[in-house]
Every structure is written in structure tokens, then in C-alpha cells.
Amino acid sequence: MSSTQTEIHEIEEQLVYELEAVYDMELKLVDALDEMSRNASNDNISEGFAKHREETERHVQRVEEAFEELGRQPNQRTNAVVDALIEETEQFERRVSDDTLRDLHYLNAGMKTERIEMTAYEGLIMLAKKADVDDDVVDPLEENLDEEEKTFKKLKGLSTGSELKSLWNKLTG
């Protein structure tokens, strides 16, 4: 039974509740990253999102491992935060016609998403440690957090690098 259908009385139930939201987020981001990779006009941005899509598929598997180690079936619960981020990008895409502006939006959306994912994993790790669960639950979550932090740094580097300056000059030049 999903934790969203039961009351939460213990920290492990809270951990599962939050894990369900992260699972939902990672599954939805696989599709969103695929779409952004296909729609980005900048080759480095497109390639970066394609690589992160593959990484996100591994994140899904690690979250599934955490569920299994908790003796639970992987289950999704609606994550309104990721739904809002995806909707925000879809709204922007309906209004933008310039590829450079779309790429800049994708970089910004990617950085927002990474920050949210990092915070979610930090919270999960905190709950897992407070629940005193086995390291087999914590380790995959820590691996995902490490990769999210690295991806954020890469996106930030893209956003401040010479390539972005070239995009900016194209818009303002």
C-alpha cells in the first residue's frame, strides 16, 4: 500500500513518503531531459541533457534499490514541484521562437531542477539516518546526491562559460 494512502506515524513512513515523491520526480525528469536534449539548438547543451538523462535513469534504479532495501515496492506519489517546473518549461516553449532564448531557459530550468533534487536528496538522507536504516538504503541516495551536485556545477559552468557569452552576444549584438 502506498504511504500516501495511510497516515504517517513513524519516521520510516515519512522517509517512504518522501522517497515516493523523489521517485516520481526522477521518472518524469527522464522524459523532460529527453525532450530538452532534442529541442536544444546548442550542441553542448543538447549533449549535456542527453547524458544527464542516462544518469537520471540510474537515479531511478537507485531509488528503486532504496525502496527494495526498505522492503517496499517502488511507488510514485505526485510531486507538484516537478510538475510545476515541467509546466513552466512547456509554457515557455509555447511562447518562444528564438532557439538561443530556449537554450538559456533550459539552462536555467536545469539549474533550478538540480537545486530541488539536491535538497530532496539531502532531506531523504537526513530522514534515513534519523530512521537508523541500513546503509544499503542511504548509499544509493548519497550516490544520487553526489551526481546531482556534479551536474549542477556543470550547468553553472555552461551558464558562465564562453559559449554562453557567445549566445548572449548573438542576442544582443
Side-chain angles (χ1 to χ4, degrees), residues 45 78 82 120 161:
I45 293 171
T78 301
V82 75

Side-chain angles (χ1 to χ4, degrees), residues 69-80:
E69 291 299 327
L70 288 168
R72 307 285 184 118
Q73 287 290 99
N75 191 40
Q76 288 174 258
R77 110 174 138 76
T78 301
N79 185 323

